[in-house]
Amino acid sequence: MKVTHLSEILGAEVDCIDCQDISDRDFATLQNLLWDRGVLSIPNQDLTPDAQFAFAQRWGAINVNRFFTPVVENPRVAEVLKEPDQELNIGGGWHTDHSYDDIPAMCSMLYAIEVPDTGGDTLFASMYAAYANLSDGFKQALSSMCAVHSSRHVFGHEPMEGDRPRKRLHNPELAVQDAVHPVVIEHPGSGRPSLYVNPSFTVRFDGWSTSESASLLAYLYRFGARPEHTIRYRWKPGTLVIWDNRATWHYALNDYHGQRRLMHRVTVEGVPLRAIN
Ligand SMILES: O=C(O)CCC(=O)C(=O)O
Ligand SMILES: [Fe+2]
């Protein structure tokens, strides 16, 4: 296994491994690498939906996303597809997957089947770095706070602004859950503090009104997305990328109109999130 960092603070590329044939020892290394680096890219894989699913199961129980279109070959694998004539994409804003669940997903694994000639990169931001770069006083204040997360405004009946990739999203009646999580979590794998609010699903601080929360959340969103906290990932077919939803945000760029992009996604369940002490 050969590991190359994608930036100083975030991401690692892992070469010379086959996801379908990894020893327990290499798997443990991979897991610790994900906790530490937040994003792993594993190029040159040959994964059917069943093989991707089997690899994901080594990480934990699978969370079948209730809003996404399943792939034909394996209904527990989700299709992340944008057709040439489609306007909006999935994940086209900063977010972390499933923060609206009481027990949010640990990681998501996206496998590239078809990518545009140019465009369709994914941005990732390190929430370890975002937290670490705040002042001590601000860290202290945030550490005693919780925030409310919801999927209603994204996947539910309440419409978002403008158009949305309606046809590709399902079950709006299930988007009724709100969850409360600490604003600064202790990462369950690494023990490191991570900022756990995100622009797509966090709606307000717990105990605060939406309008009271808005400017402080906006500050954190701008701060989290600072370029020095991010990497930009250029896809190739056959690459599997795994991101840790407790340590990162991601943003699927929608800059390839008229081209097709097809990915397969499997999401692994996490554990309840605790505040940092
Ligand atoms: O297509 C991508 O690059 C990411 C889409 C996304 O947000 C997701 O699959 O969770
Ligand atoms: Fe996502």
Side-chain angles (χ1 to χ4, degrees), residues 52-53 55-58 60-64 76 266-269:
Q52 184 181 351
F53 190 82
F55 176 63
Q57 279 183 309
R58 289 188 73 172
I62 304 304
N63 180 319
V64 178
R76 294 166 302 177
V266 181
T267 298
V268 180
E269 296 278 19

Side-chain angles (χ1 to χ4, degrees), residues 98-196:
H98 290 252
S99 73
Y100 45 81
D101 287 338
D102 276 333
I103 301 180
M106 171 210 290
C107 64
S108 303
M109 301 186 180
L110 200 62
Y111 180 62
I113 311 281
E114 200 179 328
V115 301
D117 291 338
T118 54
D121 296 356
T122 305
L123 307 178
F124 293 94
S126 168
M127 293 303 110
Y128 287 148
Y131 176 76
N133 288 334
L134 296 170
S135 68
D136 288 345
F138 199 16
K139 281 178 181 156
Q140 183 88 40
L142 292 175
S143 295
S144 63
M145 293 166 66
C146 288
V148 179
H149 301 245
S150 177
S151 63
R152 292 170 204 269
H153 55 294
V154 179
F155 297 123
H157 286 296
E158 295 165 30
M160 287 198 309
E161 273 173 48
D163 193 5
R164 51 174 277 165
R166 257 300 162 193
K167 279 187 295 192
R168 308 218 57 82
L169 295 174
H170 307 282
N171 303 324
E173 68 284 358
L174 298 182
V176 290
Q177 194 187 26
D178 297 328
V180 177
H181 303 295
V183 170
V184 184
I185 58 165
E186 178 183 83
H187 187 282
S190 68
R192 287 165 65 188
S194 179
L195 184 65
Y196 196 75

Side-chain angles (χ1 to χ4, degrees), residues 65 68 80-81 89-93 95-97 108-110 120-124 235 243 245 250-253 256 261 263 265 267:
N65 189 297
F68 285 10
V80 175
L81 169 66
N89 66 343
I90 288 173
H95 66 284
T96 188
D97 298 333
S108 303
M109 301 186 180
L110 200 62
D121 296 356
T122 305
L123 307 178
F124 293 94
W235 293 89
W243 61 83
N245 284 304
H250 56 283
Y251 183 135
L253 287 170
Y256 54 97
R261 182 178 184 274
M263 325 289 261
R265 190 181 109 171
T267 298

Side-chain angles (χ1 to χ4, degrees), residues 42-47 111-115 235-240:
I42 311 178
N44 303 313
Q45 303 302 303
D46 185 10
L47 297 175
Y111 180 62
I113 311 281
E114 200 179 328
V115 301
W235 293 89
K236 286 199 189 86
T239 298
L240 181 75

Side-chain angles (χ1 to χ4, degrees), residues 216-244:
L216 183 50
L217 283 173
Y219 178 83
L220 291 173
Y221 298 158
R222 263 199 322 277
F223 191 79
R226 280 170 69 156
E228 50 273 57
H229 299 149
T230 72
I231 57 168
R232 176 173 180 142
Y233 193 75
R234 169 92 199 117
W235 293 89
K236 286 199 189 86
T239 298
L240 181 75
V241 170
I242 311 174
W243 61 83
D244 184 334

